[in-house]
Amino acid sequence: MTSLTKAAIKKSFLKILNSKPIDKITVKEIVEDCGINRNSFYYHFDDIPSLMEEIFNDQADEFVSHSFSPENLYDSIMEAVAFSLENKTAIFHVFNSPNRQFYDRYLNRVARRTVTEFIYSYTNGLKNIKDDDREALVMYYKSLLIGFVFDWINNGFQYDLSLKVKRICELFEGTFELAIDRCGE
């Protein structure tokens, strides 16, 4: 029963966060939305920031634990930003709050996993690539991915992220392969 209560608290909080900023959300509002008492909330969480941190950790854990074989960089990126796309308003509220570090850690972890999976999948079997070169590629593409998302949020979601990323991938098609070729030098 406690895992159901905890899940209900998380679901209620995320629902409310998708409609209003964090500083306007109260524990009372969360418990009323999910039909529990305050003691049940405090049994599971110390406060709203600890609830938020656990939600982002859960999302990152879930993402990192499932396996996927991205066929191209665009698909990898879109897989990484799916949660952010589904919860744009909530992400905006977190991004513009004192608790932003929870989202930053989440995005960093998800971006690293996505890019690492793509690069290691793409370079599997290529013997001339050093681990240092692979790691440099991961750092570069992870930073790009995080930059795309930060720009999208900072601009208030004024453009379609999936279309913009798709176009960027088209414009830079071949540059990843060129970098891989240079790894053998």
Side-chain angles (χ1 to χ4, degrees), residues 119-133:
I119 289 173
Y120 278 75
S121 172
Y122 189 91
T123 61
N124 188 26
L126 300 178
K127 295 178 183 178
N128 62 333
I129 298 179
K130 299 177 207 150
D131 287 340
D132 285 349
D133 288 343

Side-chain angles (χ1 to χ4, degrees), residues 12-56:
S12 289
F13 174 70
L14 198 53
K15 179 179 104 181
I16 296 166
L17 186 58
N18 270 299
S19 66
K20 64 193 272 187
I22 295 166
D23 62 345
K24 304 289 186 217
I25 299 172
T26 64
V27 170
K28 180 181 180 192
E29 185 176 13
I30 297 167
V31 299
E32 285 176 358
D33 185 75
C34 62
I36 62 168
N37 63 42
R38 289 177 69 84
N39 290 339
S40 294
F41 177 92
Y42 288 112
Y43 175 79
H44 295 287
F45 303 101
D46 293 334
D47 51 22
I48 290 176
S50 68
L51 166 60
M52 187 177 2
E53 181 177 24
E54 186 165 319
I55 289 171
F56 282 116

Side-chain angles (χ1 to χ4, degrees), residues 63 68 70-81 114 118:
F63 183 83
F68 60 97
E71 295 194 18
N72 57 57
L73 193 54
Y74 172 76
D75 290 339
S76 296
I77 291 170
M78 295 318 297
E79 178 123 12
V81 299
T114 300
F118 174 74

Side-chain angles (χ1 to χ4, degrees), residues 2 4 11 17 20 23 39 59 68-69 100 103 109 123 125 134 138 145 149-150 159 172:
T2 55
L4 291 174
K11 184 177 178 182
L17 186 58
K20 64 193 272 187
D23 62 345
N39 290 339
Q59 287 297 317
F68 60 97
S69 298
R100 177 180 163 174
Y103 181 69
R109 192 168 164 212
T123 61
R134 273 193 183 100
V138 168
L145 172 51
V149 174
F150 282 6
Y159 55 85
F172 289 91

